[in-house]
Amino acid sequence: MNSSIIKFAVVGMGHIGKRHAEMIRRHPQARLVAMCDIVPAQQAGIADADVPWFNSIEALLVSDLEVDVVNICTPNGLHARQAILALEARKHVVIEKPMALTKADAEAVIFKALQMSRQVFAVMQNRYSPPSAWLKQLIAEGVLGDIYMVQLNCYWNRDDRYYKPGNWHGTAQLDGGTLFTQFSHFIDTLYWLFGDITNIKAAFGDFAHRHSTDFEDSGTVMFDFVNGGMGCINYSTAVWDKNLESSISIVAERGSVKVAGQYMNDVVYCHVKDYDMPVLAPVNPPNDYGAYKGSAANHHYVIENVVDTLHHRTAISTNALEGLKVVDIIERIYSLKPNPT
């Protein structure tokens, strides 16, 4: 980039879009130059008259505003199309999870980025948490030896306070499914740590959300890792009242490890041959949406990574191909539904 200030526009001003905007404002080498949503600024709860507001991404992209990066924070089903529009306008893009709802759409985004020589940043904020970074180091350095078995548990509360009538959450077209909206960053953690999966078997249930969503609220998935070892994912949004836990348990050749807590924020077990557990940095608090909670608030790391990458100081934390692989894995899991949506 020629200028030391990276100019950002945020498209989609819901909870996460507001979070992106705030993190951009806080970064000394970033500037928020535009916001965009289909509803008026006042209705979206935005009072900043000093930042231009647009009601469509098309209007934003044809304006004479100078924009370096477009952050896509809209409903899942819009991510790929809007990212391609921004790339065609020669903007770098940050795409909130998931990158797309199909592998084909994710591939189209990557193709356009290569064609336009622009960067695509896929948001997978779990990678920035100290326990996740520690697990990555353990595995990368071979401390655990061969991986035997991995269990990922995601038990969250998403009730009628979240799935409100008339909202995009819960729709097949814009939401895509529980694994896409709620747990894709945990699928990313699995892929980041252990690589791709194969020999997938799955069962799905819809217990508490038959009246409010087009898809399952619970599932059990079993698979083998391409790199060796086996794994399973147990997930549900039918937990009553509040989140129960997100956890990952690893049984390996030279020891066992478990990271747990509501947001996979505590190392609760570490027994590894000839290894002393280091003191980890504290985990950031979760994103707080009022009645429900999300994962740890790590979006400032995302903006920092964008700025540093565009200034050629570092590499992308989660690149587009990794974003595509998460979509591919979820799509393969969902292909096992009796009536895929």
Side-chain angles (χ1 to χ4, degrees):
M1 306 299 299
N2 295 327
S3 169
S4 63
I5 300 294
I6 308 295
K7 301 176 181 69
F8 288 81
V10 178
V11 179
M13 293 306 299
H15 288 303
I16 293 296
K18 290 185 178 78
R19 186 92 191 136
H20 278 244
E22 181 60 27
M23 294 304 104
I24 291 163
R25 285 193 189 94
R26 290 184 189 180
H27 196 290
Q29 288 187 294
R31 182 178 302 146
L32 182 64
V33 297
M35 293 183 281
C36 176
D37 203 291
I38 56 172
V39 302
Q42 198 170 7
Q43 192 178 328
I46 303 293
D48 296 8
D50 58 324
V51 178
W53 185 271
F54 295 87
N55 289 121
S56 74
I57 188 171
E58 291 85 356
L60 166 64
L61 294 173
V62 299
S63 74
D64 57 3
L65 269 182
E66 192 179 317
V67 178
D68 301 312
V69 183
V70 175
N71 291 36
I72 309 292
C73 305
T74 50
N76 304 345
L78 303 176
H79 288 181
R81 184 184 73 82
Q82 292 180 336
I84 288 169
L85 286 174
L87 290 164
E88 285 174 340
R90 305 194 68 81
K91 314 301 182 190
H92 303 287
V93 293
V94 175
I95 311 177
E96 257 299 337
K97 61 175 178 62
M99 183 176 166
L101 291 181
T102 66
K103 182 183 176 185
D105 280 353
E107 286 172 340
V109 171
I110 292 173
F111 177 81
K112 184 59 66 176
L114 292 169
Q115 192 179 45
M116 306 307 291
S117 298
R118 288 297 177 267
Q119 300 277 22
V120 173
F121 300 81
V123 175
M124 289 294 174
Q125 68 269 28
N126 274 18
R127 294 191 181 197
Y128 297 102
S129 78
S132 294
W134 170 70
L135 285 176
K136 178 67 173 176
Q137 185 180 2
L138 271 188
I139 291 155
E141 294 176 358
V143 173
L144 295 175
D146 291 341
I147 302 300
Y148 294 157
M149 192 172 190
V150 177
Q151 180 183 51
L152 177 69
N153 289 332
C154 300
Y155 296 128
W156 281 14
N157 161 263
R158 292 290 183 266
D159 53 27
D160 289 347
R161 293 170 292 186
Y162 180 88
Y163 291 114
K164 297 174 182 173
N167 194 287
W168 67 272
H169 291 298
T171 64
Q173 186 179 11
L174 290 180
D175 187 319
T178 299
L179 288 178
F180 278 119
T181 299
Q182 307 304 332
F183 302 131
S184 62
H185 45 316
F186 294 106
I187 304 285
D188 172 72
T189 299
L190 271 187
Y191 174 69
W192 183 51
L193 294 176
F194 307 106
D196 206 353
I197 66 173
T198 187
N199 301 329
I200 305 169
K201 301 176 183 67
F204 305 94
D206 194 12
F207 300 107
H209 297 84
R210 290 175 189 169
H211 67 290
S212 58
T213 71
D214 292 338
F215 42 75
E216 90 296 346
D217 63 18
S218 306
T220 296
V221 187
M222 295 184 296
F223 48 85
D224 294 323
F225 289 107
V226 172
N227 294 331
M230 62 189 289
C232 67
I233 303 166
N234 302 299
Y235 70 93
S236 182
T237 54
V239 177
W240 179 74
D241 194 48
K242 66 180 183 180
N243 291 356
L244 170 58
E245 73 162 1
S246 316
S247 70
I248 186 166
S249 301
I250 304 166
V251 177
E253 179 186 8
R254 290 201 279 272
S256 302
V257 175
K258 182 173 183 177
V259 176
Q262 276 199 64
Y263 317 102
M264 214 186 280
N265 49 348
D266 297 315
V267 179
V268 297
Y269 189 84
C270 175
H271 185 55
V272 179
K273 184 179 180 181
D274 300 326
Y275 180 79
D276 292 323
M277 172 83 199
V279 176
L280 303 184
V283 175
N284 289 318
N287 283 303
D288 191 336
Y289 305 118
Y292 59 94
K293 300 287 192 293
S295 286
N298 290 328
H299 282 88
H300 60 293
Y301 296 121
V302 175
I303 302 305
E304 191 175 290
N305 182 243
V306 174
V307 172
D308 288 346
T309 300
L310 295 182
H311 280 309
H312 308 293
R313 293 193 289 252
T314 189
I316 297 179
S317 293
T318 313
N319 64 45
L321 189 59
E322 293 172 306
L324 176 146
K325 283 305 301 181
V326 172
V327 174
D328 169 50
I329 289 168
I330 295 173
E331 195 173 34
R332 282 186 281 146
I333 292 170
Y334 276 167
S335 73
L336 300 174
K337 284 186 178 182
N339 299 298
T341 54

